[in-house]
Amino acid sequence: MASYIIRRILIGIPTILALVVFSYLLIVVAPGSPFAGERPLPPDVLANIEARYGLDRPLAEQIASYVWRIVMDFDFGPSFAYQDRTVTDIVLQGFPVTLTYGFLAFLVSVLVGVTLGIVAAIRKNTWLDYLAVGISIGAQALPNFVMAPILVLVFTLWLGVLPGGGWQGGQLPYLVMPVIALSTSFMASIARITRSSMLEVLNADFILTARAMGLGFGRIIFSHALKPAMLPVVSYLGPTFVGMITGSVVIDMYFSTGGIGQFFVNAAINRDYPLIMGITILTGCLTVTFNLVVDVLYAWIDPRIRY
Amino acid sequence: MYCLPPHIVLSFLAVCMVVGIPAETLQAGSFHPETGEELSDNRTFSYRMLDEFPTLDPQLNQDSEGFDVIRDLFEGLYNQGETGNLVPGVAERHVISNANRTYTFHLREMAKWSNGDPLTAFDFVYAWRRAVDPATASPYAWYVGLSMISNASKIIAGEKPPTELGVTAVDDYTLEVHLKQPLPYFPEMTTYATFFPTHRATIEKYGIAWTRPENIVSNGAYILTEHVPKEYHTRERNPYYWNNNATFMEKVTGKVVNDENLALTRYLAGELDMTGVPSGQYPNLVADYPDEAKSVPILCSYYFAINHTDSAHPALGDQRVRKALSYAIDRDVIVQSVLKGGQYPAYSFTHWATAGFRMPEIDYMKLSQADRDSIAKSLMHEAGYGKENDLKFTFIYNTSEAHKLIATVVAQMWKQKLGIEIELVNYEWKTYLDIRSTQQFDLARAGWCGDYNEASTFLDIMTTGNTINSGRFSNAEVDLLMQEAKKQADPQSHYSEVETILADEMAIIPVYHYASAFMLKPDVKGWPYDNVQKQWYSKDLYRVKEM
């Protein structure tokens, strides 16, 4: 197992490097200049700006010096669009925010989703099943960009119990709505995957055998059925977790959290090359890491899996 | 004069708050000294910002929301008053000499930085040189060039060192500016951020991090106390500001709320004191909240650029076709049924509310729409295009619901009245700019907001080679008139003539003149409704006791 993990980490390094080169090429190829505006800049002014950010050099040299600065100084460069900040400043400010609400939303969606899924599966075709499925379909039908304004309307304007936006260092009242809005649709997906996978497992031979041997219902579910039923859920959770902690543009936009999701989208719109690259590298590293975590979890859940 | 260091002043204010000394005892009283209105105990103001500002560095700024903040934190030679008029800032007065090419500004000795350092003419010299220095790489360096200060353009091009800029500090409180040619509105231009002073020691010490709340040293009525990008920032009174006694608001908060509808919800929930009106909702809001919904003109024009180069459809080379396109647009429908926010139909480019500008008599402005339509049809007929001619133009716009709606409505008018097919193509912003600036279109949506309150900020765009003139319109007479206008004490006749030529040639298709529709809590007073550049200063705002 240890050698497998080391091998995966070693493969991760060229993966990230390829991601850097490919992303850099893509954004440079995209039409539109980072410094274009309603008023095109006079050539002299533009030349000064491009010289300052090293954009006047050949492309290969730009990429090489970009990677070099990261490796040697861990310097991700200045942001083009937010001139008072470096990419590191922006990530250090925004990532803890999305990590906080993303992680909480992840917990909520896993706990509620898995519970709903199990309940629906073991009480198949009863009112409990219909209720659980109903809730999950309802949640799926309410994407976060619909949820968010509804929540603000109800809890801020009508009831006046929660602030309509902001973060304030992650105080509880500011957390509630972002977490609910982000978790609902993921919760729904997890519930549906859990339900179908649980149903499949409950019909498996080893469960029937366990029943025939007179094992208690709770023991069958929690000791024998739950672990194998979780396999498809876990493979869904790896990339979902990364997606949630790197933020959602909708949550950041509606709740003004200052999170990194919105910076990412704006960076693409603004052609803020260093910021796009910085957040892409962050997301890339997290994806590589959590895919590895999921694979290790697999082996733990199903001892038959060997690497 | 000896002054207390800021931390002692701030501690004193903090002690006052803790022991409960009413804030108004620190000021003139609880009545407004000029209007006599009773002031509210609430001395805070919060407003919605659409997005995070790119920078708080005055010399780098080119963003209007960033400028709203910078205007509070820094102060230039002059400020704008209620109607956009000049109000003394750091300069008390100025003298013009040398055939209108030398401006001597006399600075107030009371002016200080927020750390207690005296503010001198040398700080202005440092800031202005910094604005044009290629090492600063300011995207707004061209603004200094536009102000005609000697050598500005050469310094930007790297042909001369920044020390050659035509600005000198004669002594601590006298600033002399040399222009390469007279510019009657030069003092007005100094109200923009690029010309604000900056604190050299702070910039040299902290580099790009100098604008953080913990580092910044500024000279305006407010200091930056908190800033979380994309969330909020707060600015609080600067005890060192020379006119601090006349400031009412203690604390101003800018909150970033991207979605305009959500911002309105939060305004209605009492979380904001000011926010914009979402498009199309002004009539309803003014009915429900007559004291709060406002619409005032702002200095921006919405128009369609026409491609005058060879890459355009050849029919657009015909002045009659261009005229027909413009005449066939029913601007009242756009303004009253689509936008509904107090905008004005436009038949000429310069915004009607521009200072010192009188709208010229444009021939088709006075006609009824039915007359305009029938003229449009006969112009097309004369030009040899009937319904059977199958004209098809490409119309590009940047992705936005509002632009899409206008484009669709106009395309329908052109199709119904003139039989012209329009292919509507939208691009995201940067791609759109790329395509528009390389003339890969027939017609393009465009908008322009004045940099300063004078008609040339619009009309200069229509001169040959101007980079904003994306349709590449070129007319020797317009070029000459705009050149001559700069030398006139009253250039109105030149401007009228230019507008007439533009309408006759139909260089662009003016659509409407902007209005800004917003919600403002009724107890907030001192808002400069008549300032068409929407330049508000928190130092002028106050809240009255509600009845």
Side-chain angles (χ1 to χ4, degrees):
Chain A
M1 184 58 110
S3 76
Y4 171 75
I5 294 176
I6 292 169
R7 212 166 59 233
R8 283 286 299 266
I9 292 173
L10 288 179
I11 295 171
I13 294 171
T15 311
I16 297 292
L17 207 62
L19 175 77
V20 169
V21 174
F22 193 61
S23 316
Y24 204 103
L25 288 175
L26 266 184
I27 49 176
V28 172
V29 165
S33 148
F35 310 107
E38 185 76 50
R39 173 201 300 277
L41 291 177
D44 291 336
V45 174
L46 187 63
N48 290 338
I49 295 176
E50 290 189 334
R52 178 182 164 160
Y53 294 117
L55 294 176
D56 52 345
R57 290 181 293 168
L59 190 59
E61 204 182 313
Q62 286 178 39
I63 299 179
S65 96
Y66 179 75
V67 174
W68 184 252
R69 272 185 291 129
I70 294 174
V71 175
M72 298 310 286
D73 306 323
F74 206 63
D75 174 10
F76 290 82
S79 159
F80 290 169
Y82 303 100
Q83 290 121 309
D84 303 354
R85 279 161 213 274
T86 62
V87 171
T88 311
D89 290 336
I90 292 171
V91 171
L92 284 181
Q93 180 245 315
F95 185 51
V97 173
T98 53
L99 183 64
T100 308
Y101 75 70
F103 184 70
L104 288 174
F106 178 76
L107 281 187
V108 170
S109 46
V110 170
L111 289 177
V112 180
V114 169
T115 312
L116 276 180
I118 293 176
V119 169
I122 58 185
R123 291 281 179 266
K124 193 185 160 200
N125 293 336
T126 65
W127 67 270
L128 261 176
D129 181 21
Y130 300 142
L131 181 71
V133 170
I135 291 175
S136 85
I137 289 174
Q140 189 89 61
L142 276 179
N144 47 17
F145 59 86
V146 178
M147 264 310 257
I150 294 177
L151 287 171
V152 175
L153 196 66
V154 174
F155 291 105
T156 307
L157 186 60
W158 293 347
L159 301 177
V161 290
L162 288 174
W167 185 246
Q168 299 294 326
Q171 293 172 34
L172 188 64
Y174 294 89
L175 270 171
V176 178
M177 291 196 288
V179 169
I180 296 177
L182 183 58
S183 54
T184 39
S185 65
F186 288 110
M187 182 267 285
S189 304
I190 292 171
R192 279 187 298 106
I193 297 172
T194 308
R195 180 179 179 274
S196 60
S197 149
M198 193 65 161
L199 280 176
E200 206 172 303
V201 171
L202 287 178
N203 288 328
D205 291 345
F206 72 100
I207 297 291
L208 293 178
T209 313
R211 277 192 179 169
M213 288 171 74
L215 247 63
F217 185 68
R219 189 136 176 239
I220 290 177
I221 296 295
F222 291 104
S223 303
H224 297 282
L226 190 57
K227 249 169 119 183
M230 281 298 101
L231 272 181
V233 180
V234 167
S235 59
Y236 172 77
L237 291 184
T240 305
F241 183 67
V242 176
M244 285 172 103
I245 60 171
T246 49
S248 143
V249 60
V250 175
I251 300 297
D252 288 339
M253 212 182 91
Y254 276 100
F255 296 111
S256 313
T257 56
I260 209 154
Q262 198 191 346
F263 275 112
F264 197 17
V265 173
N266 280 3
I269 294 169
N270 293 329
R271 306 288 193 276
D272 190 345
Y273 302 164
L275 190 54
I276 301 175
M277 290 306 298
I279 305 180
T280 304
I281 293 172
L282 175 76
T283 313
C285 289
L286 289 171
T287 308
V288 168
T289 310
F290 283 96
N291 279 342
L292 177 60
V293 170
V294 165
D295 288 348
V296 173
L297 272 180
Y298 257 43
W300 175 74
I301 291 174
D302 187 349
R304 288 172 303 178
I305 296 174
R306 284 283 167 270
Y307 297 107
Chain B
M1 192 182 79
Y2 178 74
C3 258
L4 287 170
H7 65 273
I8 296 184
V9 177
L10 288 173
S11 336
F12 170 62
L13 286 172
V15 167
C16 293
M17 280 185 252
V18 172
V19 300
I21 301 174
E24 49 267 44
T25 59
L26 301 172
Q27 295 185 351
S30 58
F31 292 89
H32 192 279
E34 281 165 29
T35 65
E37 292 160 294
E38 190 173 4
L39 297 175
S40 162
D41 295 336
N42 178 3
R43 295 189 175 192
T44 63
F45 177 69
S46 66
Y47 69 102
R48 176 244 180 171
M49 299 195 307
L50 168 68
D51 207 346
E52 176 63 23
F53 37 77
T55 179
L56 284 181
D57 186 326
Q59 271 81 54
L60 297 182
N61 179 68
Q62 51 175 346
D63 180 69
S64 64
E65 282 193 317
F67 185 36
D68 288 342
V69 184
I70 292 172
R71 260 192 328 264
D72 270 8
L73 303 181
F74 296 86
E75 185 173 62
L77 296 170
Y78 285 95
N79 296 320
Q80 286 199 8
E82 241 174 278
T83 55
N85 51 315
L86 281 189
V87 177
V90 175
E92 287 178 310
R93 61 196 171 83
H94 67 266
V95 179
I96 309 171
S97 58
N98 186 22
N100 295 332
R101 285 172 47 200
T102 300
Y103 282 74
T104 309
F105 294 92
H106 297 279
L107 313 189
R108 65 181 75 243
E109 297 184 14
M110 283 275 289
K112 296 218 176 302
W113 290 101
S114 57
N115 65 351
D117 286 357
L119 174 64
T120 68
F122 293 95
D123 295 316
F124 280 94
V125 174
Y126 166 71
W128 294 16
R129 284 179 182 168
R130 184 172 173 260
V132 287
D133 189 342
T136 311
S138 167
Y140 236 59
W142 56 265
Y143 187 75
V144 184
L146 199 69
S147 74
M148 298 293 167
I149 299 181
S150 304
N151 295 330
S153 308
K154 287 191 173 139
I155 297 167
I156 296 167
E159 291 163 14
K160 282 194 169 182
T163 46
E164 295 282 311
L165 187 68
V167 53
T168 43
V170 178
D171 58 46
D172 276 359
Y173 300 106
T174 313
L175 183 74
E176 205 170 80
V177 183
H178 306 279
L179 307 186
K180 66 178 178 188
Q181 72 175 67
L183 191 73
Y185 47 86
F186 176 74
E188 277 81 356
M189 289 189 77
T190 67
T191 62
Y192 193 73
T194 322
F195 286 121
F196 289 177
T198 35
H199 193 256
R200 182 176 195 156
T202 307
I203 296 174
E204 287 176 353
K205 186 172 174 189
Y206 296 108
I208 64 164
W210 79 272
T211 57
R212 308 283 164 82
E214 63 273 23
N215 304 336
I216 194 168
V217 172
S218 59
N219 74 317
Y222 289 81
I223 45 179
L224 184 72
T225 48
E226 287 174 278
H227 181 200
V228 185
K230 295 240 186 234
E231 188 190 348
Y232 77 105
H233 76 274
T234 54
R235 30 198 214 254
E236 292 176 55
R237 277 168 70 147
N238 172 10
Y240 278 109
Y241 181 56
W242 63 271
N243 205 13
N244 185 37
N245 284 341
T247 307
F248 300 97
M249 290 293 182
E250 294 288 339
K251 185 175 175 180
V252 177
T253 308
K255 298 180 183 175
V256 178
V257 188
N258 287 140
D259 186 76
E260 55 182 5
N261 291 299
L262 198 70
L264 179 65
T265 309
R266 291 181 64 182
Y267 170 88
L268 295 174
E271 288 188 9
L272 295 164
D273 297 315
M274 189 186 91
T275 188
V277 167
S279 49
Q281 294 192 31
Y282 180 69
N284 293 340
L285 287 168
V286 88
D288 293 344
Y289 307 95
D291 295 342
E292 299 175 49
K294 324 270 180 193
S295 174
V296 293
I298 52 163
L299 212 55
C300 303
S301 293
Y302 192 102
Y303 64 99
F304 299 150
I306 299 175
N307 185 357
H308 294 269
T309 71
D310 295 339
S311 59
H313 192 292
L316 287 173
D318 190 326
Q319 169 227 31
R320 291 166 298 191
V321 175
R322 298 196 298 266
K323 270 190 158 175
L325 286 170
S326 177
Y327 280 40
I329 298 175
D330 189 340
R331 291 157 174 87
D332 290 334
V333 167
I334 291 172
V335 167
Q336 286 160 20
S337 310
V338 178
L339 299 164
K340 300 189 272 190
Q343 293 84 353
Y344 293 80
Y347 301 88
S348 55
F349 189 28
T350 309
H351 194 290
W352 67 270
T354 308
F357 177 74
R358 290 183 302 281
M359 287 268 270
E361 295 275 323
I362 301 292
D363 51 3
Y364 73 116
M365 190 170 132
K366 294 261 164 71
L367 304 174
S368 70
Q369 189 56 45
D371 289 346
R372 278 193 285 262
D373 289 345
S374 69
I375 295 174
K377 282 173 195 158
S378 54
L379 280 169
M380 287 300 283
H381 187 71
E382 270 175 45
Y385 298 103
K387 291 213 167 182
E388 67 283 1
N389 264 296
D390 236 8
L391 270 186
K392 188 171 180 181
F393 297 138
T394 314
F395 183 106
I396 63 164
Y397 63 96
N398 55 303
T399 312
S400 134
E401 278 308 309
H403 300 325
K404 184 181 175 181
L405 202 58
I406 292 173
T408 314
V409 169
V410 170
Q412 192 61 25
M413 289 172 183
W414 285 338
K415 186 175 166 56
Q416 279 175 354
K417 296 175 186 176
L418 309 175
I420 298 173
E421 285 288 337
I422 297 291
E423 186 194 358
L424 295 177
V425 189
N426 67 311
Y427 297 100
E428 62 86 44
W429 179 236
K430 296 273 183 179
T431 311
Y432 161 79
L433 290 174
D434 216 33
I435 288 182
R436 200 180 69 179
S437 64
T438 46
Q439 288 77 47
Q440 303 171 58
F441 65 93
D442 294 325
L443 300 154
R445 177 213 82 85
W448 185 249
C449 293
D451 288 313
Y452 47 89
N453 192 359
E454 210 270 349
S456 63
T457 194
F458 290 99
L459 295 176
D460 274 342
I461 292 174
M462 301 318 299
T463 56
T464 308
N466 188 299
T467 50
I468 307 150
N469 177 357
S470 51
R472 297 283 179 268
F473 173 76
S474 176
N475 180 298
E477 217 177 328
V478 168
D479 295 349
L480 187 68
L481 282 164
M482 287 312 294
Q483 220 170 16
E484 289 296 313
K486 303 229 181 300
K487 302 172 191 158
Q488 309 297 316
D490 178 13
Q492 171 66 39
S493 61
H494 289 65
Y495 294 156
S496 297
E497 218 172 313
V498 170
E499 286 283 14
T500 312
I501 297 171
L502 294 181
D504 195 46
E505 285 289 318
M506 209 50 83
I508 54 165
I509 302 177
V511 182
Y512 68 88
H513 291 147
Y514 280 62
S516 160
F518 59 97
M519 303 287 285
L520 182 66
K521 292 287 178 199
D523 63 325
V524 177
K525 305 285 176 188
W527 190 267
Y529 296 106
D530 295 328
N531 185 322
V532 288
Q533 285 182 284
K534 213 183 167 189
Q535 295 202 8
W536 56 280
Y537 297 78
S538 303
K539 68 182 174 62
D540 299 331
L541 303 181
Y542 58 97
R543 299 186 89 124
V544 295
K545 260 211 162 82
E546 283 179 279
M547 294 300 135

